[in-house]
Amino acid sequence: MIPPSQNFHRSVGVWFVGFLQYQTAYHIQKYLANLHSISNSLKEEQLNDGTILMVEHAPVYTTGIRTSNDVESEEKRLKALGAEFYKTNRGGLTTFHGPGQLVVYPVLNLKHFNKSMKWYVCKLEETIIQLCKSFGVEAGRSSNTGVWVKNEKLCAIGVHGSRYITTHGLALNVNTDLSWFSHIVPCGIPDKGVTSLSQVSGKQLTIANVINPFLESFSHEFDCQIKMLPFEVRENIVNHLKNERLINGATEDQLLENKSFIANQL
């Protein structure tokens, strides 16, 4: 269970959606980033110091700003596998998101934390390292960004920062079908593999099993209280997406639904 307020210096809202199209998640991040950049209205909007968007994607490959190969041919090849493909403004190279992977997009105002992207990435890594300990897994860092178990990447991290507002985030393999990674060089690192939390722990874990341990670890590392993102804020974002014709009715209902297994812990 997420601990109650312990004189935390900051508070962060959490919004767990479940399965969501990659492009829709990106539109939500952009909208949240804009709200968090308007610091004078944050208290009124009840956004406080940041928002954590937590999702699971259908199979999708994304590229970062460091990608330098023939993106068009790569896009055609990967789409032929039945996955979506998007070019993004995050750091890093090509990676995969899909079912069984917890994807977390923290939209934080680093002015309220630490104005260092290096610090931010290290804190994301430590959040996952501590989460892994709760499942009996010893994970760590390497010379490459992310969280590793020996020579296998467990969690990819690729972030973007603009005026101290963060977007994009991390992808933790929980019980992901790792064969999707065989079609790329994950994050451009040819001599290392990928793994999942289920694989390294020897337990059949699901996304639901790791949500609250993640939030507890994040709360500790970022010294912040975790709260459910208020319904009014979610409703405003959904109305914006509807007005821009970026979502349909089914997605609208999904975005406004409360996830009881999180709400009961907050």
Side-chain angles (χ1 to χ4, degrees):
M1 179 177 289
I2 307 304
S5 177
Q6 300 173 350
N7 297 317
F8 288 117
H9 297 96
R10 297 166 280 266
S11 63
V12 171
V14 60
W15 188 3
F16 178 74
V17 177
F19 268 101
L20 190 67
Q21 185 185 36
Y22 181 85
Q23 193 73 344
T24 304
Y26 180 63
H27 288 308
I28 293 174
Q29 289 179 73
K30 287 178 63 177
Y31 190 84
L32 285 168
N34 181 60
L35 289 180
H36 282 294
S37 70
I38 309 171
S39 59
N40 290 335
S41 68
L42 290 184
K43 297 303 178 183
E44 296 177 9
E45 293 282 355
Q46 297 180 292
L47 288 175
N48 300 307
D49 304 298
T51 303
I52 303 172
L53 179 66
M54 310 179 80
V55 304
E56 195 173 357
H57 290 309
V60 56
Y61 291 98
T62 67
T63 63
I65 56 177
R66 289 172 50 206
T67 302
S68 58
N69 58 338
D70 186 351
V71 176
E72 290 187 4
S73 63
E74 184 79 342
E75 177 178 358
K76 184 177 180 181
R77 181 179 69 84
L78 294 175
K79 279 185 172 181
L81 300 172
E84 292 184 298
F85 182 94
Y86 290 101
K87 292 174 273 190
T88 78
N89 63 347
R90 63 163 171 79
L93 297 169
T94 303
T95 194
F96 169 79
H97 302 310
Q101 185 186 72
L102 176 63
V103 182
V104 182
Y105 300 118
V107 182
L108 306 182
N109 186 337
L110 292 185
K111 291 179 181 178
H112 302 155
F113 293 86
N114 184 313
K115 297 187 216 179
S116 164
M117 289 299 287
K118 182 177 180 181
W119 173 90
Y120 174 58
V121 170
C122 285
K123 281 295 184 180
L124 290 180
E125 290 173 336
E126 192 62 29
T127 295
I128 298 301
I129 290 169
Q130 295 304 317
L131 176 153
C132 288
K133 286 183 179 180
S134 68
F135 292 99
V137 173
E138 287 296 323
R141 297 179 176 87
S142 79
S143 58
N144 298 293
T145 303
V147 177
W148 303 76
V149 177
K150 297 181 180 178
N151 278 328
E152 296 182 315
K153 180 174 275 192
L154 176 66
C155 178
I157 295 176
V159 298
H160 176 76
S162 177
R163 299 180 180 180
Y164 303 112
I165 307 295
T166 66
T167 51
H168 299 286
L170 62 88
L172 172 64
N173 297 326
V174 179
N175 59 345
T176 319
D177 178 357
L178 300 177
S179 66
W180 286 98
F181 289 97
S182 66
H183 305 288
I184 59 173
V185 179
C187 302
I189 306 171
D191 58 342
K192 295 187 178 182
V194 291
T195 190
S196 69
L197 193 55
S198 289
Q199 188 167 288
V200 294
S201 69
K203 304 171 185 176
Q204 288 300 313
L205 301 172
T206 66
I207 297 294
N209 295 138
V210 301
I211 291 282
N212 286 309
F214 172 85
L215 293 174
E216 184 172 359
S217 183
F218 188 97
S219 172
H220 180 267
E221 293 303 322
F222 285 85
D223 188 24
C224 64
Q225 183 182 8
I226 303 294
K227 302 177 178 179
M228 287 289 291
L229 188 67
F231 179 83
E232 294 78 7
V233 178
R234 289 184 283 138
E235 188 175 42
N236 288 339
I237 295 172
V238 168
N239 286 336
H240 166 75
L241 296 174
K242 282 172 59 181
N243 292 338
E244 297 294 321
R245 298 182 179 180
L246 297 172
I247 58 173
N248 57 30
T251 303
E252 176 187 353
D253 293 341
Q254 179 187 1
L255 291 171
L256 294 177
E257 178 186 355
N258 278 318
K259 304 299 180 182
S260 59
F261 65 88
I262 294 182
N264 291 340
Q265 303 295 320
L266 300 178

